[in-house]
Every structure is written in C-alpha cells, then in structure tokens.
Amino acid sequence: FGCARNWGAISKRLSDQFNVYAVDLRNHGDSPWYDSQSYLDMAQDLAQIIQHVGHPMHIIGHSMGGKAAMVLGLTEPNLVDRLLIADIAPVVYDHDHSQYIEAMQRLDLSQISSRAEAIQALAVDIPELALRNFFLRSLDLTKKRWKLNLKILQLEMPQILGFPELTETYQKPCLML
C-alpha cells in the first residue's frame, strides 16, 4: 500500500551520491492502473523505466517492491547492477491484507472532507493509528479517491502474497535486509 513518496527521506540522502528514481508500482500512487498486479508485470514496468533512462541501475525494493525488484534481477539481470531488498523474501506468505482493502473500500469518500475525518472513520476497522496514517498517504481528498487500485489489489492478493516460479539465479551483489 506504499508509494514513492514513502522513500522521500531516503531518496534525499541517496541523491548526494546517486541519481534517484522513486517509482510508484502499477496500481499505486501516481502510476497507471492495470488489470493485473503480477510480479512479472511489475518487473517489466521497472525494466521499461530503466531502459528509458538508458543504463543499468542499483535497485532498492521494500515489501512488494522488493519482490518486484527480485523478479527484475532474475528476469532482466542486464538492467540491474546491485539489489537491496528489505523486509521481504521470495516466498509465499500466508498473511492477507484484504481486511485493509475492505476497510478502505467501505470509507464513504463523499462524506470525508478532511484527513482527521478519514482517520476517525477508518478507526472502526483499523484501530492502529500508525496503519491508518500510512494508508491515508494514498488518499487524494481533493479528487475523493484512493490512489490505490483497491479492486485489482483485492483480486490479485494471492499473486501479491506469492512469488513466481522462476529458475533463473541472480549472480550480482545483493543485500537482503
């Protein structure tokens, strides 16, 4: 449920030494919405960005972005110099985030006029204030819409929790945190 904005402080610090591109994955933030959320598709989206820039890159990925980065490294190793993967492994997870998607879908955005109202309304289903604040980073109050394609994220949850069966290996430097 994150977005490129979440990388703001880290991007700023890394920009002293590197050109930094913070990317919203498909169906998140300001990226286009698609009818799939597979890691192979997300890796191809990343590959297109790298090809547009014109040279291999160091890739950092967290959570779902980490899985997308791993698939990119496995399927397009020529586009990746190094990988840093945080808080995720290339395995199938058994937890499910559907309850958060459902809570966001239940929020009547036509009745919400402030962030404080949204925080209060989400409290019914999401008692943790930190989680509500995190999810609300993806709420566009001006347009009364989520910047998350909740329908597709819900439908694709089994793929998001999984990891594609790939036989390739990644032979370049990789740090797993």
Side-chain angles (χ1 to χ4, degrees), residues 52-72:
H52 178 76
V53 172
H55 57 79
M57 296 185 174
H58 303 312
I59 306 295
I60 299 173
H62 172 259
S63 193
M64 182 172 64
K67 281 189 174 184
M70 285 185 260
V71 172
L72 174 68

Side-chain angles (χ1 to χ4, degrees), residues 42-52 72 75-76 79:
M42 288 183 270
Q44 279 306 302
D45 295 344
L46 294 171
Q48 288 177 6
I49 292 166
I50 296 168
Q51 289 163 344
H52 178 76
L72 174 68
T75 59
E76 300 281 353
L79 299 178

